Amino acid sequence: MVSIIGWSRIRSPWILYMGTGHCNACDIEVLAVLAPRFDVERFGILLKGSPRHADVLVVTGAVSRQTAPRLKRIYEQMPNPKFVIAVGTCACSGGVYWGCYNVLGGIDKVIPVDVYIPGCPVRPEAVIQGVAKLLAKLQGGGKK
Amino acid sequence: MSKSTSKEEFIAHELKSNFGDVISELKVTGPRRVYVTVPPESLRDILLFLKNMFNARHIVTITGIDMMKSFELIYHIAVPGEHIRSILVNVKTHIPRDNPTMPSVVDILPGATLYEREVHDLLGIVFEGHPNLERLILPDDWPEDEFPLRKDWKPKEV
Amino acid sequence: MMNVLYYLFRVLIYPGFLFISALAFVFEWIDRKAHAHFQNRIGPLYAGPHGFLQPLADFIKLMAKEDFTPTWANPVFFNITPVLAATLPVFASFYIPFTGMPVLPPFEGDLVLVLTLTTFFTITAFLAGWFSSNRFSSVGAIRVVLQFLGYEIPMFISLGSAAIAAGSLSITKIANSQVIPFAILQPLGFAIYIIALQAELEKIPFDIPEAESEIVAGWLTEFAGRKLAFFRLSEDLRLVLGAGLATAVFLGGGSGAIFPPIVWFLIKMVIVVLIATSLRTVFARLKIDQVVRGAWKYLLPLALLQLLITKILLVVM
Amino acid sequence: MMSIYRIPVGPQHPAIKEGFQWNFKLDGEVIVDVTPRLGFVHRGIEKGMELRSWVQGIYLAERICGICNTPHTTCYCLAVEQLYDVEVPKRAQYLRIIINELNRIHSHLLWIGVLGMEIGFMTYFMYVWRDRERVMDIVELITGNRVTMSMNMIGGVVYDITPPMEGIIRRGLDYLEERTKYYKEVLLNEPTIRARTENVGVLSKSDAIDLCAVGPTLRGSDVKSDARFDEPYSSYDEISFNLVTYPYCDVYARALVRADETLESIQIIRECLDKMPSGPIKVRLKRTPPPGEAVARVEAPRGELLHYVKSDGKEKPYRVKMRTPTLANIPATCEMLKGYYIADIPAIIASIDPCYCCTERMLFIDINSGKSWVWTDSELRRYSLKYYRERRK
């Protein structure tokens, strides 16, 4: 029984996108992933609007002070099992905005992160590989 | 590089003749660039003069600089040349550091509302007569008396 | 005793619940694949052969997700509406003659029963949105009702004109009595029904209650896990019901040359689904006031006109 | 009645850098005044610039806005080169024009696709974004990166265009020209798009000038102003191209301006490739510029962009000021909203195509009763529906 549920989780990861103090380059690359050339719907990935519907939270941008509480709230609204992908160097570690006063640095300062995808901006292929790595991690007995 | 065309010279000359006594520094540093330094009180008259005389209605932005001993404000005004926004006249003023207040120019150039609020946010300069000088850029929970763009302000561990 | 077993088999397995749900998943797959190919994309590919099991994967994943009821939401309605939403279309599909004979014995007036069940669904959607106490779902709920007011009456009239032409209110009789499919005899009625079906299923250009970028996911916003699974299943079941009704009433049901009625019926239903998908691909989303005004200004008069033409033709014949 | 107006954080389409929030003052039904509140994506870049050396500043300037990163670096490098009082070699100037125009094509195609997504026309979004990949291939061919081009350097340009590249670029441009003409056709006579964009968010010509609007928003209101003409930087005056304006003053006009500008940009790049002079592509300069100050203006896809740079001879800039085109357009946007009813706000906000993830809150203050309430977009929409239905009775 567990293997069927595992299979279904791997085959239909729905993503919710959120930008926090970002520069829009990673956003358009995440959006480009849905466009015909990269088309992640092949893996069953759909872009969802409501945190209730999503499994994977894709976050870009070094968290600015204003969006930190919102990011936490969106993360808490998502039902388990949920995962977080930090897209772009800013999301991983604050990236090029080191030293800027209004920025907290990486996403992991606010919420636990499962997959880090570096790149400035991240390449669509890297986003797909990040999701694939997440699914592989899921296959190997991901956290409940 | 510095072949200055007649239009800049003409503007500089007009400024000199009308506000000669008040202007402390006036130079044309290249094509489409005029720098003029004036005391804060006569800034509004200069802008009105540029607007009426040269139909200069586009303010590109206001730059605020903390010069350690005083604050410097630069009003970048686009004056019509061959095109309606060709020549950039940079009007500079210096205001004392202890109580930095400045008359607002929103009634002359309505486009300047946001720039004044931004300078107020980041440098703490109060613009009298501004319709609503609320916080524009900094987050809500930012302490009132901290102005990030001042040289003596150090970013604390956030 | 044998009779009860036979009926149980028909209700639960063959033309009944299991068959219809499988059909629902297949149609969702066809819809997503066609939509993707229209948009120069590939669509689901890795879940089963050519992504065939993608809808099933989505369903099982949602069933296995954590499912909670928000504190302010009204627990009674919040938990009942998903189940209601899934069972209404199935019950209505029992009167569609998939295999020449519907699951439950047809009676005069089962067309009216099926239409009331679709209306019940709209009310369920409204209750689901209204009682999940979320700003966005409450507005989504209001829009569901608003849109329902627009397209429901033209839909009834277009089906009514087909019923008058066939001289009976039983879907099976209408299906069997069509020598030339009504879609050709009454093209206007068929077109109006397809547009109304598009609005009933809340697909673009009529998906204002659900996917408007401003209100997140409309009346579905608060539902997660199992409840969401049931709502998505009900969406597909309504597609099966709508396509089945269109085939039975307008395309002459299962009647066809060599193949048994079930095969013809499925072929025609797939055609209707593809029409719905192409509509979804070609148009942009309309504003709610445009939809309601368009329905009252254009759909309704055209439906009445169709009714008039049918009556005149009958009198002449 | 107190409830919060909030468009939720969701799949957003990046049209501007600064997130903003609208505060409305009402007289009964009519909007009297609108005041914006920014800061949701504020990162403190200007202070960050003072912690970085001149060359490091280029990389931070590039990441103010991910889409129009090239105009930011071009403007920053032009300003610093004015400090050095040095002229960039001719070939580097032409290469800068090519890269800026490629970025304009990329940004305009992105916005046209997002306009389709905004009004629910997903197929239009998919097709336009499929063809936009062609521009990113060309950019990747020249600079190695799809989006952030990092082509500019103080004193010149980093990458060069070799003859074999030219052939690929020309074929890409032909394909793009043909597709952009087709999308403009769709824009012109597709009924649902026109229904959602015509005479929505009207900005009159005089208001556009008074409120210092910039870019397509200005040129959509029939004002002939473009930084490439006003201040021909990096030898734009040697290229012959015309200034696109439309007189309708609404969202439809702005969409047409952007479509035509894409076609113009393709022509510009072709002309640059034909007239490309030979020679070096950069000039070696000392690490720190002499003390002084300089201002540079560049035409970013969204409008006129200004960089002010002040150096006191040290190896870190004393002050760097950037004014993004979107900040200039916000007062004009407020003007577009004034005088309309509350019921019209959803249409106008959608037509301005703001960055949804940052448009957070809308505060209403009734100046007569002094009562203030904040509405969610959904409540606003419900109110507008009820309002229109009463009007129709």
Side-chain angles (χ1 to χ4, degrees), chain C residues 127-207:
Chain C
L127 292 177
W130 190 255
F131 282 108
S132 56
S133 77
N134 170 321
R135 278 183 292 279
F136 307 121
S137 34
S138 55
V139 171
I142 302 247
R143 288 193 200 165
V144 163
V145 176
L146 269 174
Q147 189 164 291
F148 162 76
L149 292 177
Y151 71 80
E152 199 69 13
I153 297 153
M155 182 167 155
F156 284 3
I157 295 174
S158 65
L159 288 171
S161 72
I164 292 169
S168 121
L169 267 178
S170 148
I171 300 175
T172 325
K173 282 209 187 67
I174 298 173
N176 301 340
S177 73
Q178 289 176 32
V179 176
I180 312 151
F182 282 144
I184 299 155
L185 281 179
Q186 305 176 3
L188 210 54
F190 183 58
I192 290 169
Y193 179 77
I194 290 293
I195 294 170
L197 177 65
Q198 196 77 0
E200 187 201 340
L201 301 177
E202 286 166 23
K203 291 226 186 313
I204 295 185
F206 303 99
D207 76 339

Side-chain angles (χ1 to χ4, degrees), chain D residues 165-177:
Chain D
M165 280 192 197
E166 266 186 51
I168 303 168
I169 295 174
R170 284 185 195 279
R171 273 198 306 280
L173 290 178
D174 299 342
Y175 174 79
L176 278 171
E177 184 167 35

Side-chain angles (χ1 to χ4, degrees), chain C residues 191-317:
Chain C
I192 290 169
Y193 179 77
I194 290 293
I195 294 170
L197 177 65
Q198 196 77 0
E200 187 201 340
L201 301 177
E202 286 166 23
K203 291 226 186 313
I204 295 185
F206 303 99
D207 76 339
I208 303 133
E210 213 173 282
E212 176 85 35
S213 51
E214 272 99 18
I215 56 167
V216 186
W219 53 278
L220 277 172
T221 317
E222 282 301 330
F223 292 95
R226 270 187 293 283
K227 299 189 182 66
L228 184 60
F230 275 109
F231 272 121
R232 277 178 63 85
L233 179 62
S234 88
E235 212 178 293
D236 302 336
L237 291 170
R238 276 186 295 133
L239 178 62
V240 168
L241 171 66
L245 206 57
T247 319
V249 171
F250 285 100
L251 299 173
S255 60
I258 333 133
F259 299 107
I262 177 73
V263 173
W264 276 112
F265 206 96
L266 288 182
I267 292 167
K268 291 174 187 169
M269 280 169 82
V270 167
I271 293 166
V272 171
V273 167
L274 286 177
I275 294 172
T277 309
S278 55
L279 279 179
R280 176 163 87 105
T281 313
V282 168
F283 287 109
R285 181 184 302 130
L286 294 174
K287 283 190 277 189
I288 186 74
D289 50 344
Q290 286 167 338
V291 167
V292 176
R293 196 176 302 127
W296 285 97
K297 230 194 257 177
Y298 303 109
L299 278 188
L300 193 55
L302 285 175
L304 292 173
L305 177 69
Q306 173 62 55
L307 200 61
L308 203 61
I309 298 169
T310 320
K311 205 68 187 104
I312 295 163
L313 277 178
L314 274 179
V315 164
V316 164
M317 249 41 122

Side-chain angles (χ1 to χ4, degrees), chain C residues 38-41 135-136 139 142-143 146 204 214 216 281-288 290 293, chain D residues 4 6 8 119-123 126-127 130 192 195-196 356 376-379 381-382 385 389 392:
Chain C
F38 283 150
Q39 291 180 344
N40 212 264
R41 293 187 293 122
R135 278 183 292 279
F136 307 121
V139 171
I142 302 247
R143 288 193 200 165
L146 269 174
I204 295 185
E214 272 99 18
V216 186
T281 313
V282 168
F283 287 109
R285 181 184 302 130
L286 294 174
K287 283 190 277 189
I288 186 74
Q290 286 167 338
R293 196 176 302 127
Chain D
I4 310 294
R6 194 166 61 82
I119 53 176
F121 199 3
M122 286 308 283
T123 317
M126 289 295 176
Y127 273 82
R130 178 200 66 191
T192 36
R196 291 291 298 266
Y356 263 111
T376 68
D377 165 68
S378 27
E379 251 121 22
R381 194 174 301 286
R382 185 153 29 99
L385 300 180
R389 228 175 295 115
R392 204 177 302 124

Side-chain angles (χ1 to χ4, degrees), chain A residues 17-18 22-25 27-29 31 36-37 47 64 66 70 96-98 100-102 120-121 123-124, chain D residues 9 11-12 14 16 40-44 51-52 63 65-66 110 126 129 133 136-137 140 146-148 360:
Chain A
Y17 165 76
M18 179 164 178
H22 52 286
C23 84
N24 294 337
D27 316 355
I28 46 180
E29 288 298 74
L31 225 52
R37 176 179 277 201
L47 188 64
S64 69
Q66 192 81 341
R70 286 176 178 81
V96 80
Y97 302 115
W98 55 268
C100 293
Y101 56 85
N102 202 23
C120 183
R123 292 185 68 89
Chain D
V9 175
Q12 50 91 21
I16 62 166
F40 295 90
V41 195
H42 176 64
R43 293 147 288 188
L51 310 175
R52 286 166 172 70
R63 278 142 181 100
C65 159
L110 180 146
M126 289 295 176
W129 274 53
E133 295 284 340
M136 297 163 102
D137 291 346
E140 192 173 359
R146 280 164 54 89
V147 179
T148 316
E360 293 259 336

Side-chain angles (χ1 to χ4, degrees), chain D residues 19-308:
Chain D
F20 53 85
Q21 159 201 348
W22 304 99
N23 300 344
F24 289 88
K25 281 203 179 61
L26 306 165
D27 175 4
E29 289 301 321
V30 179
I31 302 165
V32 172
D33 185 24
V34 187
T35 49
R37 163 85 170 84
L38 284 83
F40 295 90
V41 195
H42 176 64
R43 293 147 288 188
I45 285 179
E46 285 169 5
K47 184 76 176 178
M49 278 290 192
E50 287 158 18
L51 310 175
R52 286 166 172 70
S53 77
W54 290 97
V55 177
Q56 284 173 331
I58 300 175
Y59 300 106
L60 188 56
E62 204 165 27
R63 278 142 181 100
I64 297 167
C65 159
I67 312 164
C68 41
N69 46 59
T70 317
H72 275 287
T73 49
T74 313
C75 204
Y76 179 77
C77 294
L78 280 174
V80 177
E81 277 147 20
Q82 276 178 30
L83 282 181
Y84 282 101
D85 197 2
V86 80
E87 186 70 18
V88 172
K90 214 62 177 145
R91 185 176 178 87
Q93 291 187 10
Y94 274 74
L95 286 170
R96 269 190 185 158
I97 294 180
I98 290 178
I99 280 294
N100 273 324
E101 292 311 319
L102 279 173
N103 183 266
R104 196 182 315 283
I105 298 171
H106 168 211
S107 173
H108 283 336
L109 284 182
L110 180 146
W111 185 84
I112 292 172
V114 154
L115 178 71
M117 179 177 177
E118 168 64 31
I119 53 176
F121 199 3
M122 286 308 283
T123 317
Y124 193 68
F125 166 79
M126 289 295 176
Y127 273 82
V128 173
W129 274 53
R130 178 200 66 191
D131 293 329
R132 180 179 141 259
E133 295 284 340
R134 203 57 184 273
V135 179
M136 297 163 102
D137 291 346
I138 297 176
V139 165
E140 192 173 359
L141 177 76
I142 300 174
T143 65
N145 197 335
R146 280 164 54 89
V147 179
T148 316
M149 294 178 206
S150 56
M151 175 84 161
N152 284 309
M153 203 182 70
I154 299 173
V157 176
V158 177
Y159 305 99
D160 197 349
I161 293 185
T162 56
M165 280 192 197
E166 266 186 51
I168 303 168
I169 295 174
R170 284 185 195 279
R171 273 198 306 280
L173 290 178
D174 299 342
Y175 174 79
L176 278 171
E177 184 167 35
E178 172 222 333
R179 294 307 299 175
T180 313
K181 284 203 176 86
Y182 169 69
Y183 295 129
K184 193 182 165 200
E185 262 322 296
V186 169
L187 208 59
L188 277 176
N189 39 38
E190 209 285 329
T192 36
I193 291 185
R194 290 187 69 152
R196 291 291 298 266
T197 54
E198 263 178 343
N199 53 53
V200 169
V202 175
L203 178 70
S204 69
K205 179 169 183 176
S206 59
D207 288 345
I209 295 175
D210 284 351
L211 290 167
C212 314
V214 288
T217 315
L218 184 73
R219 292 193 284 277
S221 305
D222 202 11
V223 176
K224 285 198 172 318
S225 161
D226 180 326
R228 294 174 291 180
F229 285 87
D230 297 348
E231 178 164 332
Y233 54 93
S234 95
S235 67
Y236 257 103
D237 40 16
E238 293 161 20
I239 308 285
S240 68
F241 62 102
N242 39 44
L243 185 60
V244 177
T245 59
Y246 273 87
Y248 313 131
C249 306
D250 58 5
V251 170
Y252 190 59
R254 282 164 226 138
L256 289 175
V257 163
R258 287 188 169 97
D260 281 356
E261 271 180 9
T262 316
L263 296 171
E264 281 304 316
S265 298
I266 294 172
Q267 288 310 335
I268 294 172
I269 296 175
R270 286 208 185 102
E271 198 172 334
C272 281
L273 288 175
D274 302 341
K275 292 160 68 171
M276 176 70 79
S278 62
I281 57 171
K282 50 179 176 281
V283 168
R284 289 221 55 77
L285 296 168
K286 299 203 305 303
R287 273 186 61 78
T288 55
E293 57 185 356
V295 187
R297 285 194 301 170
V298 154
E299 181 67 18
R302 276 169 196 74
E304 174 204 47
L305 167 69
L306 176 129
H307 274 232
Y308 168 85

Side-chain angles (χ1 to χ4, degrees), chain A residues 116-144:
Chain A
Y116 295 90
I117 307 177
C120 183
V122 69
R123 292 185 68 89
E125 301 91 336
V127 174
I128 296 175
Q129 199 210 353
V131 174
K133 274 212 164 47
L134 175 73
L135 303 184
K137 180 179 168 188
L138 213 67
Q139 203 143 18
K143 64 180 188 325
K144 180 68 193 75

